[in-house]
């Protein structure tokens, strides 16, 4: 300023020619919470610490590999009066058997595989424990609290929640919704339906959807979405498994021995196969010519014993049954990056998915999508010639005209967070018309760019949005005396064409 000049000379004064701009925040950065093999960064512990990764190779580096899933083999129990008929997992000869997973099922690793296979990118991992530990609600809930200080995550996914007891799973999902809708207000929760691999008419477990809706409550439903059913995937391959996935070696050898003895093979061939089976679980002498390493023994058993192949296929099928939240986080990321957050994450095929665990029909989806309780559940359905598609785009607040659709809720989160962060530069600036005009121009320019990309509905910018600020318009003299600047932003968000009605009508012949 001229009053500051006291020595004669030439002074250069630079002035900014352009106003501040709003930078669009990232919309597809999920945070996964669960159990891992390890949590280590070259000697530094990553336990209970949100850590950003961008690929599965980085996950392997910091958090290790898949869990060692163990299974018990038992004979098929006899039918009891008044109870459902037991179902066997596999059959060898005339005998039927059941395979039951022994330890808690850790879903995080497999969900990460699904996430990256379906278009996932940058994400955060919160490891709350390691394999071998019991899955506990307080630990997983503590993982949610660790995200309070992280600004970047925009989604919360907890695949291991479904390994808890049903009441604990629901309580954890309620905590996730509260974190997104009350504490942070800038992220979205993707939920799995407990026992979502079962049919709704399953007599043993009851209606899993009704139980989910009844227990979830009514708070912050527009900050979350749920998907049904679970999905049969191809993440786990037979080559990833062997007899070390079984807990009872003696029972395993007994089953294969019975299979060989019942086979029509010549006795000398039976004896050679039985000799191979006898080596399972017994450490041999590497110097002897008949010694078989673990890998050689596994390959030999797979060739000579059909029963062994059946056991591994059954284990593979059970491990490939996964909750869909990890895949959906990948779909959200894929759609956001290719079309924008304003495009509904639906009518998109799922990769590495063989089929849904339950085939939901057109009529059965009616109650999932539209219900009196308003808690819409998005269906995952198979379509001939198209594969497995996500066939729903509703939040859990399905009765709300404002927040019925996932893309509407997430688009508003993006707009609010982008403008909020850009507006921090004007905190403590003079609350006068010059500041108001600058902020109005900044927000309008940002929204105009979103409209041009198809994020807002309207034939012109005036139809798509409007920004209001000023004394007598959004503020009173008392507001200014109290240091409050009020800005009102109106936006017309695009909504998906969920129902398309095409009318056909006959007309009179004209010639």
């Amino acid at each position: 300023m001229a009053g500051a000049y006291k020595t004669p000379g030439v002074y250069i004064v630079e002035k900014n020619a352009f106003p501040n701009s709003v930078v669009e925040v990232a919309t597809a950065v999920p945070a996964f919470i669960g159990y891992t093999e390890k949590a280590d960064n070259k000697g530094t512990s990553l336990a209970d610490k949100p850590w950003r990764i961008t690929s599965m190779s980085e996950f392997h580096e910091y958090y290790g590999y898949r869990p060692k899933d163990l299974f018990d083999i038992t004979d098929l129990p006899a039918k009891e009066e008044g109870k459902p008929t037991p179902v066997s997992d596999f059959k060898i000869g005339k005998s039927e058997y059941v395979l039951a997973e022994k330890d808690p099922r850790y879903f995080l690793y497999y969900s990460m595989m699904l996430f990256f296979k379906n278009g996932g990118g940058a994400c955060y991992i919160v490891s709350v424990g390691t394999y071998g530990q019991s899955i506990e609600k307080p630990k997983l809930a503590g993982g949610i609290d660790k995200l309070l200080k992280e600004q970047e995550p925009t989604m919360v996914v907890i695949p291991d929640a479904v390994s808890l007891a049903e009441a604990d799973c629901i309580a954890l999902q309620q905590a996730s919704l509260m974190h997104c809708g009350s504490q942070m207000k800038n992220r979205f929760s993707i939920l799995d339906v407990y026992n979502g691999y079962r049919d709704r008419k399953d007599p043993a477990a009851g209606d899993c959807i009704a139980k989910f809706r009844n227990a979830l409550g009514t708070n912050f439903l527009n900050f979350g979405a749920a998907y049904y059913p679970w999905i049969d995937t191809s993440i786990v391959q037979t080559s990833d498994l062997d007899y070390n996935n079984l807990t009872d070696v003696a029972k395993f050898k007994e089953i294969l021995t019975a299979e060989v003895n019942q086979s029509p093979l010549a006795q000398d061939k039976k004896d050679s196969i039985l000799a191979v089976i006898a080596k399972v679980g017994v450490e041999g002498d590497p110097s002897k010519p008949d010694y078989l390493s673990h890998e050689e023994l596994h390959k030999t058993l797979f060739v000579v014993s059909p029963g062994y192949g059946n056991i591994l296929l059954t284990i593979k099928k059970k491990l490939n049954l996964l909750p869909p939240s990890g895949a959906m986080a990948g779909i959200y990321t894929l759609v956001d990056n290719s079309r924008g957050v304003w495009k509904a994450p639906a009518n998109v095929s799922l990769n590495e998915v063989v089929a849904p665990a339950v085939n939901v029909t057109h009529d059965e989806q009616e109650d999932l999508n539209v219900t009196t309780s308003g808690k819409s559940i998005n269906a995952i359905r198979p379509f001939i010639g198209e594969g497995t598609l996500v066939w729903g785009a509703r939040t859990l607040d399905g009765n709300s005209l404002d927040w019925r659709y996932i893309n509407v809720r997430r688009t508003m989160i993006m707009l609010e967070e982008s403008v909020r962060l850009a507006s921090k530069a004007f905190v403590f600036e003079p609350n006068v018309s010059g500041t108001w005009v600058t902020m109005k121009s900044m927000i309008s320019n940002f929204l105009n760019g979103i409209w041009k990309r198809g994020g807002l509905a309207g034939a012109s910018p005036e139809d798509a949005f409007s920004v209001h600020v000023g004394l007598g318009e959004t503020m009173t003299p008392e507001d200014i005396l109290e240091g409050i600047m009020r800005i009102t932003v109106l936006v017309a968000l695009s909504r998906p064409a969920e129902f398309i009605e095409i009318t056909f009508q006959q007309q009179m012949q004209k010639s």
Side-chain angles (χ1 to χ4, degrees):
M1 296 178 62
Y5 302 148
K6 294 183 179 180
T7 302
V10 178
Y11 296 87
I12 302 297
V13 178
E14 290 186 350
K15 290 187 177 182
N16 293 331
F18 307 106
N20 286 2
S21 61
V22 178
V23 178
E24 183 180 335
V25 298
T27 60
V29 185
F32 291 87
I33 303 171
Y35 290 74
T36 59
E37 183 183 33
K38 63 176 185 176
D40 178 80
N41 179 20
K42 298 178 181 178
T44 302
S45 174
L46 296 178
D48 290 317
K49 178 182 179 181
W51 188 253
R52 192 177 191 271
I53 66 171
T54 58
S55 66
M56 201 64 203
S57 62
E58 288 188 15
F59 185 93
H60 290 153
E61 178 183 355
Y62 299 121
Y63 296 101
Y65 290 80
R66 70 178 74 246
K68 189 68 173 180
D69 298 282
L70 299 175
F71 289 81
D72 290 327
I73 301 181
T74 57
D75 296 321
L76 181 69
K79 185 182 185 310
E80 297 183 24
E81 189 68 28
K83 293 185 178 180
T85 303
V87 180
S88 65
D89 287 320
F90 66 95
K91 184 178 180 180
I92 295 180
K94 296 181 180 180
S95 301
E96 297 183 80
Y97 302 93
V98 175
L99 273 171
E101 190 159 12
K102 181 180 180 181
D103 296 320
R105 181 75 193 275
Y106 303 105
F107 286 107
L108 178 61
Y109 178 85
Y110 302 110
S111 294
M112 293 304 304
M113 293 282 287
L114 277 176
F115 171 67
F116 286 111
K117 292 290 185 180
N118 282 279
C123 62
Y124 281 75
I125 307 296
V126 184
S127 175
V128 299
T130 55
Y131 304 150
Q133 299 178 355
S134 59
I135 298 177
E136 300 174 1
K137 182 176 78 70
K139 287 186 176 181
L140 292 171
I144 298 176
D145 294 336
K146 298 297 180 182
L147 296 173
L148 289 172
K149 296 182 180 180
E150 298 295 330
Q151 186 64 41
E152 190 179 9
T154 60
M155 293 179 272
V156 177
V157 187
I158 315 177
D160 288 338
V162 293
S163 293
L164 297 166
E166 186 169 7
D168 289 340
C169 174
I170 293 293
L172 186 65
Q173 291 173 335
Q174 290 172 331
S176 178
L177 289 173
M178 179 173 289
H179 169 81
C180 294
S182 175
Q183 296 173 315
M184 299 302 294
K185 298 182 179 179
N186 64 353
R187 51 195 60 165
F188 194 80
S189 184
I190 305 177
L191 307 182
D192 296 306
V193 176
Y194 192 85
N195 280 340
Y197 58 91
R198 296 181 181 272
D199 192 283
R200 296 187 64 182
K201 298 177 182 178
D202 189 324
D207 188 346
C208 59
I209 298 297
K211 290 181 178 181
F212 177 80
R213 285 170 170 163
N214 292 337
L216 192 61
T218 60
N219 297 329
F220 314 111
L221 296 180
N222 63 87
F223 281 88
Y227 292 85
Y228 172 84
W230 290 18
I231 46 181
D232 290 320
T233 71
S234 56
I235 292 294
V236 180
Q237 298 297 313
T238 308
S239 58
D240 300 324
L241 308 170
D242 57 33
Y243 55 80
N244 282 335
N245 291 98
L246 301 171
T247 58
D248 192 343
V249 175
K251 182 69 174 179
F252 169 65
K253 294 167 74 172
E254 175 188 322
I255 291 172
L256 293 193
T257 300
E259 176 196 30
V260 173
N261 289 330
Q262 295 171 13
S263 68
L265 296 173
Q267 190 60 44
D268 58 336
K269 290 187 176 180
K270 287 184 179 182
D271 292 340
S272 62
I273 296 175
L274 291 174
V276 172
I277 295 173
K279 296 178 185 295
V280 175
V282 179
E283 186 176 349
D285 185 351
S287 63
K288 292 186 177 180
D290 63 342
Y291 171 78
L292 292 176
S293 66
H294 166 74
E295 184 178 353
E296 292 170 334
L297 184 56
H298 161 68
K299 291 180 178 179
T300 303
L301 283 175
F302 196 82
V303 172
V304 301
S305 173
Y308 183 52
N310 288 340
I311 292 172
L312 295 187
L313 287 174
T314 303
I315 294 176
K316 171 187 168 184
K317 182 177 180 181
K318 286 180 174 290
L319 293 181
N320 274 320
L321 178 62
L322 300 175
S325 57
M328 289 312 307
I331 292 296
Y332 282 28
T333 304
L334 175 67
V335 173
D336 285 7
N337 292 337
S338 60
R339 297 286 301 276
V341 67
W342 43 84
K343 164 66 173 69
N347 200 2
V348 181
S349 64
L350 291 167
N351 296 331
E352 296 288 334
V353 172
V354 177
V358 178
N359 191 349
V360 178
T361 66
H362 174 84
D363 292 336
E364 290 171 340
Q365 191 180 355
E366 288 185 3
D367 180 66
L368 290 175
N369 199 51
V370 180
T371 177
T372 53
S373 70
K375 296 174 186 174
S376 299
I377 310 295
N378 298 309
I380 298 175
R381 295 176 55 190
F383 291 90
I384 297 174
E386 296 179 273
T388 301
L389 304 183
V390 182
W391 207 245
R394 293 194 174 205
T395 69
L396 286 162
D397 198 4
N399 283 348
S400 169
L401 292 178
D402 284 307
W403 310 116
R404 174 177 295 173
Y405 296 109
I406 295 169
N407 59 302
V408 172
R409 173 74 273 178
R410 295 182 66 236
T411 300
M412 187 62 85
I413 288 174
M414 181 272 290
L415 296 177
E416 292 171 351
E417 192 68 3
S418 300
V419 171
R420 183 185 72 85
L421 294 176
S423 299
K424 288 175 68 175
F426 294 91
V427 177
F428 298 112
E429 288 293 307
N431 199 358
V432 296
S433 59
T435 306
W436 304 340
V437 171
T438 300
M439 290 201 67
K440 181 177 181 178
S441 174
M442 176 187 73
I443 297 172
S444 296
N445 289 338
F446 169 64
L447 294 177
N448 188 62
I450 298 295
W451 169 75
K452 287 182 177 179
R453 293 162 56 196
L456 300 176
S460 65
E462 291 75 19
D463 295 335
F465 65 87
S466 60
V467 183
H468 305 274
V469 56
L471 183 62
E473 185 177 9
T474 61
M475 292 176 285
T476 65
E478 289 75 14
D479 290 330
I480 295 177
L481 291 175
E482 292 177 359
I484 300 173
M485 181 191 302
R486 301 187 189 276
I487 303 174
T488 300
V489 181
L490 305 179
V491 290
L493 299 178
S494 61
R495 285 166 165 75
E498 187 178 16
F499 311 105
I500 299 177
E501 179 182 297
I502 302 174
T503 300
F504 283 83
Q505 184 176 349
Q506 294 190 59
Q507 67 175 15
M508 289 290 294
Q509 181 175 331
K510 296 181 180 179
S511 62

